[in-house]
């Protein structure tokens, strides 16, 4: 990444379970944030990849958070359609979208333990998505081979 350092916004978003999710979490070694909309065809391709890859992060200190730019009902439809198990939050006020200057969905952002964005990608760029997810594996101590296999299973690009 180039330019001025970007931090995840220090916000707490409502989840669909009636709880909250902080974008910055001091217990995490890293945070993977996936911004998406329910009516985005590319998101429908990328979200299952993220779901499968997050299984490689299970038990690691990397937290994955889906941030929906859609309403709660549409977001529930996406969760059910793709069997998403990682937490989902709603960015109804577009705080995260604006803070991260999201121009295209899906946008996947990787931040370190301090909330500093260390990698990001947008759209359906298989190479960039792979780079972000491998960087996430390295930050969290997950098995890079397992992450690569999960990505390759979808034959993106």
């Amino acid at each position: 990444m180039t330019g001025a350092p970007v931090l995840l916004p220090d916000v707490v978003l409502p989840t669909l379970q009636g709880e909250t999710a902080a974008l910055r979490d001091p217990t995490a070694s890293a945070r993977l944030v996936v911004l998406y909309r329910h009516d985005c065809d590319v998101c429908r391709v990328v979200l299952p990849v993220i779901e499968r890859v997050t299984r490689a992060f299970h038990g690691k200190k990397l937290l994955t958070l889906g941030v929906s730019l859609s309403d709660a009902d549409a977001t529930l439809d996406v969760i059910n359609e793709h069997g998403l198990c990682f937490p989902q939050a709603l960015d109804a006020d577009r705080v995260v979208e604006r803070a991260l200057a999201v121009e295209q969905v899906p946008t996947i952002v990787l931040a370190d333990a301090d909330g500093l964005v260390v990698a990001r990608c947008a759209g359906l760029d298989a190479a960039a998505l792979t780079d972000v997810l491998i960087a996430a594996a390295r930050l969290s101590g997950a098995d890079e081979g397992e992450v690569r296999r999960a990505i390759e299973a979808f034959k993106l690009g």
Side-chain angles (χ1 to χ4, degrees), residues 26-125:
T27 67
S29 61
R31 170 69 91 177
L32 189 66
V33 179
V34 182
L35 291 104
Y36 68 93
R37 286 191 181 87
H38 79 282
D39 57 353
C40 164
D41 290 335
V42 174
C43 298
R44 293 178 188 274
V45 172
V46 172
L47 284 168
V49 176
I50 300 296
E51 174 61 34
R52 181 150 180 193
V53 169
T54 58
R55 294 176 192 165
F57 300 137
H58 184 74
K60 305 297 179 189
K61 290 194 139 217
L62 180 127
L63 301 176
T64 302
L65 179 65
V67 176
S68 176
L69 304 176
S70 301
D71 65 34
D73 288 339
T75 300
L76 282 170
D77 289 344
V78 171
I79 292 167
N80 291 331
E81 178 182 347
H82 299 294
L84 302 179
C85 295
F86 58 92
Q88 304 292 312
L90 301 174
D91 188 20
D93 295 329
R94 303 293 197 258
V95 174
V96 178
E97 181 182 21
R98 283 191 307 274
L100 295 176
V102 172
E103 296 178 4
Q104 179 181 12
V105 291
T107 292
I108 296 90
V109 176
L110 175 65
D112 67 13
D114 297 321
L116 179 66
V117 174
V118 297
R120 76 184 280 164
C121 66
L124 186 58
D125 181 336

Side-chain angles (χ1 to χ4, degrees), residues 142-154:
D143 182 331
E144 288 182 41
E146 187 177 348
V147 171
R148 284 186 193 282
R149 286 187 295 279
I151 295 166
E152 290 167 1
F154 286 91

Side-chain angles (χ1 to χ4, degrees), residues 12-28:
V12 176
L13 299 173
T15 68
L16 295 174
Q17 294 77 24
E19 299 172 353
T20 57
L23 252 63
R24 293 193 204 169
D25 187 330
T27 67

